[in-house]
Amino acid sequence: MLTKRIIPCLDVKDGKTVKGVNFENLRDAGDPVELGRLYAEQGADELVFLDITATLEKRKALVELVRRVAREINIPFTVGGGISSIEDVSALLNAGADKISINSAAVKDPSLIDRLALEFGSQCVVVAIDTKLHDGENWVHTHGGKILTELDTFKWAKEAEERGAGEIMLTSMDHDGTKAGFANEATARISENASIPVIASGGAGTMQHFADVFNIGKADAALAASIFHFKEISLPELKQFLKKENITIRI
């Protein structure tokens, strides 16, 4: 049984950690460097850093801020936002990232996944999928959730894997920030059809939600932001709960 992972996420805008609901109404959640250090100390399995307005603002991720966070942590570190080339990835890996996350650029040019996997290895390439229901179907969104594409979420997840993605990070925009639970059905559908790990994101509000996304959603990892940032749930407490639920977790 593979160990399940708990991953705090730093959504960064203008150098600060922010959090909203359904990708809207962002509020300040603290300093990313301090939060990264805290989560590493508390036993987070990995850390994700998303420069959430980089694509919208047509700029690169904040390399210097990534470097500052990387200096403070000793756990795997994934960075996303504004990445569209081999050069972008090289800069972030040199700044201390272990993996990169691509979304909008991969949708625009799917061959980017192939090129990055070939250059850096699949283990380095996370394809992030922002999904939202329209007329009962899950569709991929890009540019921080602002643009609806014609891509079916489940077909795109399979194509991303076939092109060389090492992980899928699925964020349900409908669940994001609601604290009503993860999109277990959609997560399970992707997990059951994938041979690579699936990270569930969007909707964590209780410790039971994490147990559910592992048991029902078949996720390999669960990502959350506001419940950690605003100290509603602590990482050590969550891990002890999951252990009691017989979920294989690193304490």
Side-chain angles (χ1 to χ4, degrees):
M1 174 67 80
L2 285 174
T3 304
K4 302 294 187 182
R5 290 170 287 149
I6 303 296
I7 307 176
C9 179
L10 306 174
D11 291 322
V12 175
K13 182 176 188 284
D14 301 328
K16 292 180 179 165
T17 310
V18 295
K19 192 62 199 132
V21 178
N22 307 130
F23 285 37
E24 302 288 345
N25 302 318
L26 302 177
R27 60 176 173 144
D28 189 352
D31 177 72
V33 179
E34 290 175 11
L35 287 172
R37 183 194 307 122
L38 173 67
Y39 296 145
E41 289 170 353
Q42 287 185 343
D45 297 294
E46 300 190 16
L47 184 70
V48 167
F49 174 114
L50 299 176
D51 186 343
I52 60 171
T53 56
T55 300
L56 273 175
E57 294 169 4
K58 297 184 172 60
R59 59 173 174 77
K60 306 303 179 189
L62 302 165
V63 174
E64 187 50 44
L65 186 54
V66 167
R67 185 175 285 111
R68 286 173 52 213
V69 174
R71 283 196 199 110
E72 299 295 329
I73 64 175
N74 57 354
I75 53 178
F77 185 29
T78 301
V79 177
I83 296 167
S84 60
S85 68
I86 283 172
E87 291 73 25
D88 293 344
V89 175
S90 291
L92 291 168
L93 296 181
N94 287 334
D98 299 288
K99 297 184 269 190
I100 57 87
S101 168
I102 50 174
N103 181 347
S104 303
V107 170
K108 183 180 176 184
D109 176 14
S111 70
L112 178 65
I113 304 171
D114 307 67
R115 297 198 304 277
L116 295 182
L118 190 64
E119 181 75 20
F120 302 104
S122 288
Q123 82 290 338
C124 179
V125 182
V126 180
V127 171
I129 301 175
D130 293 338
T131 186
K132 190 174 184 181
L133 282 167
H134 289 277
D135 299 324
E137 300 292 331
N138 277 279
W139 298 98
V140 176
H141 288 62
T142 62
H143 297 76
K146 297 284 191 284
I147 296 179
L148 166 65
T149 73
E150 295 179 354
L151 281 177
D152 172 278
T153 295
F154 306 108
K155 289 177 182 172
W156 175 234
K158 198 65 197 167
E159 181 179 344
E161 177 183 354
E162 288 166 354
R163 286 182 175 276
E167 288 184 282
I168 297 291
M169 182 162 68
L170 180 72
T171 300
S172 167
M173 292 174 62
D174 298 301
H175 291 70
D176 174 73
T178 64
K179 300 181 186 174
F182 292 92
N184 293 324
E185 189 179 326
T187 304
R189 188 168 163 189
I190 290 179
S191 296
E192 286 164 352
N193 285 296
S195 56
I196 57 174
V198 175
I199 304 165
S201 166
T206 69
M207 290 190 281
Q208 186 60 47
H209 290 155
F210 286 87
D212 290 344
V213 81
F214 291 135
N215 290 326
I216 303 167
K218 316 289 186 198
D220 298 277
L223 179 146
S226 56
I227 58 163
F228 297 139
H229 301 339
F230 301 120
K231 299 181 171 53
E232 292 162 37
I233 294 176
S234 78
L235 279 157
E237 179 186 27
L238 173 59
K239 288 196 162 191
Q240 289 297 337
F241 170 82
L242 292 172
K243 188 179 179 186
K244 286 175 185 162
E245 293 290 306
N246 296 315
I247 291 164
T248 309
I249 203 90
R250 182 182 68 88
I251 299 293

